[in-house]
Amino acid sequence: MSELDLIDSILRHSLDLQRLSAHEEAQALEILRQLETELRQLLASNDLTDAGKREVNALIADAHEAIASSYAQIPGLLDTHELSLIVANRTADVLRDALPSVTIPSPERLASLTKDILIDGAPASAWWSRQAEDLQFKFAAQVRQGVLNGESLAQITARVVGSEDEPGILDTSRRNARSLVHSAVMTAANRARLETYRKNGRHIAGLRWLATLDSHTCMQCAALDGQAWNLDGDKLDGTTADFQLPPAHFACRCVATPIAKGLDDIFGTTGLDEKLKPAVRASSSGPTSAPTFEAFLERQSPEFVEEVLGKRRAELYLAGKLTLRDLVSGAGRPLTLDELRTR
Ligand SMILES: [Zn+2]
């Protein structure tokens, strides 16, 4: 197995993780859908056109309770420890195809790494309570404003759930929920993967950042693309950015790919340093010696594309009517944690 095969396997697994994330995001959205129904009912059960301060406050208190109990359910949906075990096992399986005597980090070690993971510097649990508080605050403000303006029930409800023309405060909640779930999945998965690389540091020289180079790639990720570090996070030759793990931001689909040691024959160079130099990447034309997502996808069979996207969307993709972003979004055919485990 070559280093290219190794990277392809890691990227295939990354697409699986995007599909898992799509499934987990849908679960969080389902809870918010139920919350929407509850809030609609609460609004409808009160005669707001004629409501006094006390009635409005009582309604807001009920809504606060509904929002808090809905958001309390979301963090428990994703089993980050189980996810980290699956990712570590899969990563080890992939390495095993290429390298001798591969080992897996202990479940205890993975548990401590993925317990209340940090997203953008704050624990996931704190992000979720912030989301609940934010929605509570906005709900109270929108309802009070609507009542003050003498709006109808339909108008006040639209402030919360949105209408044809105007998004409601719940639209922001939904978007943020998806971002947080995606970040939690990717953070836990990447930590488990790095830990597995470290555990097998005898064979792994470091990591290389691989960005999904589509039209939506942000400047931040485009700049990180191809940058490489050793397993202690020190920059390898040619790298200017400080070490970090994906995700770099909300909805980031970048992958940290392994750099195997001792593959001189593949790279046709002698010294290790030379081999580890991140090759110059050309994303539009010209030769590319470092791996790219596009090249990876070109190497995959139509059957693989169909497995990821489902039949209909695969046809569109193969006909050039869907973008790289559609393929890597994971939304084509979401995977559950159980399905991911048995793949
Ligand atoms: Zn990214």
Side-chain angles (χ1 to χ4, degrees):
M1 189 192 224
S2 71
E3 175 151 299
L4 200 59
D5 294 329
L6 182 64
I7 290 167
D8 275 7
S9 299
I10 293 287
L11 291 183
R12 271 196 293 274
H13 187 44
S14 296
L15 290 185
D16 283 352
L17 289 171
Q18 299 293 348
R19 294 168 63 189
L20 170 76
S21 180
H23 173 263
E24 301 293 321
E25 289 164 38
Q27 284 200 298
L29 290 183
E30 175 56 24
I31 289 181
L32 293 185
R33 201 189 58 75
Q34 289 164 11
L35 174 61
E36 176 180 333
T37 305
E38 266 184 84
L39 294 178
R40 276 178 188 276
Q41 284 166 353
L42 273 175
L43 287 166
S45 65
N46 291 269
D47 185 7
L48 289 171
T49 46
D50 202 24
K53 211 172 181 180
R54 195 192 299 166
E55 285 93 342
V56 172
N57 284 343
L59 164 68
I60 286 169
D62 287 346
H64 278 204
E65 216 168 285
I67 291 167
S69 70
S70 290
Y71 271 94
Q73 296 170 47
I74 298 181
L77 292 174
L78 175 66
D79 187 343
T80 46
H81 182 219
E82 180 61 22
L83 171 62
S84 70
L85 287 173
I86 294 171
V87 171
N89 273 297
R90 173 71 76 91
T91 305
D93 283 346
V94 168
L95 295 179
R96 211 166 270 134
D97 283 338
L99 307 163
S101 55
V102 168
T103 51
I104 301 172
S106 72
E108 295 73 30
R109 175 76 185 138
L110 290 169
S112 77
L113 280 175
T114 50
K115 188 166 165 277
D116 216 6
I117 48 171
L118 292 185
I119 298 170
D120 258 13
S125 53
W127 279 104
W128 287 115
S129 356
R130 274 282 290 271
Q131 282 299 302
E133 284 161 25
D134 190 47
L135 182 56
Q136 287 170 336
F137 177 83
K138 286 184 188 158
F139 181 89
Q142 293 297 326
V143 168
R144 288 199 175 106
Q145 191 62 48
V147 171
L148 196 67
N149 295 353
E151 291 174 11
S152 66
L153 171 64
Q155 285 172 310
I156 296 175
T157 306
R159 284 172 174 269
V160 177
V161 305
S163 66
E164 296 255 308
D165 328 306
E166 199 100 41
I169 53 176
L170 272 173
D171 289 294
T172 311
S173 302
R174 281 188 274 266
R175 204 167 47 242
N176 291 347
R178 293 193 59 186
S179 294
L180 280 176
V181 171
H182 185 264
S183 291
V185 167
M186 294 308 145
T187 302
N190 278 298
R191 300 205 65 165
R193 206 175 263 159
L194 173 61
E195 195 57 23
T196 312
Y197 294 154
R198 281 187 172 147
K199 185 84 183 172
N200 297 283
R202 287 183 302 135
H203 306 305
I204 306 288
L207 303 172
R208 191 191 311 280
W209 192 282
L210 191 61
T212 315
L213 292 181
D214 63 7
S215 57
H216 292 85
T217 306
C218 62
M219 293 299 285
Q220 192 180 0
C221 292
L224 284 163
D225 188 49
Q227 301 273 292
W229 306 269
N230 69 21
L231 292 177
D232 294 325
D234 302 322
K235 295 167 196 167
L236 296 180
D237 274 358
T239 288
T240 51
D242 286 335
F243 171 72
Q244 59 172 307
L245 274 183
H249 54 82
F250 286 125
C252 172
R253 296 191 180 90
C254 297
V255 184
T257 57
I259 302 166
K261 282 181 183 172
L263 291 167
D264 294 358
D265 46 334
I266 292 160
F267 285 79
T269 53
T270 45
L272 190 67
D273 286 346
E274 184 60 32
K275 184 179 66 209
L276 294 180
K277 272 184 189 165
V280 177
R281 293 275 297 270
S283 61
S284 50
S285 61
T288 63
S289 40
T292 68
F293 250 105
E294 294 92 325
F296 156 72
L297 290 172
E298 277 163 21
R299 288 192 293 273
Q300 309 308 309
S301 65
E303 291 74 30
F304 172 82
V305 175
E306 188 175 318
E307 154 66 25
V308 171
L309 287 176
K311 198 167 172 52
R312 171 93 188 105
R313 286 163 64 90
E315 282 167 10
L316 290 174
Y317 179 77
L318 295 170
K321 290 178 180 153
L322 287 183
T323 64
L324 180 61
R325 187 184 180 81
D326 293 310
L327 182 58
V328 300
S329 74
R333 293 183 62 188
L335 280 180
T336 66
L337 207 52
D338 275 340
E339 285 166 336
L340 184 70
R341 186 189 300 109
T342 53
R343 279 171 69 77

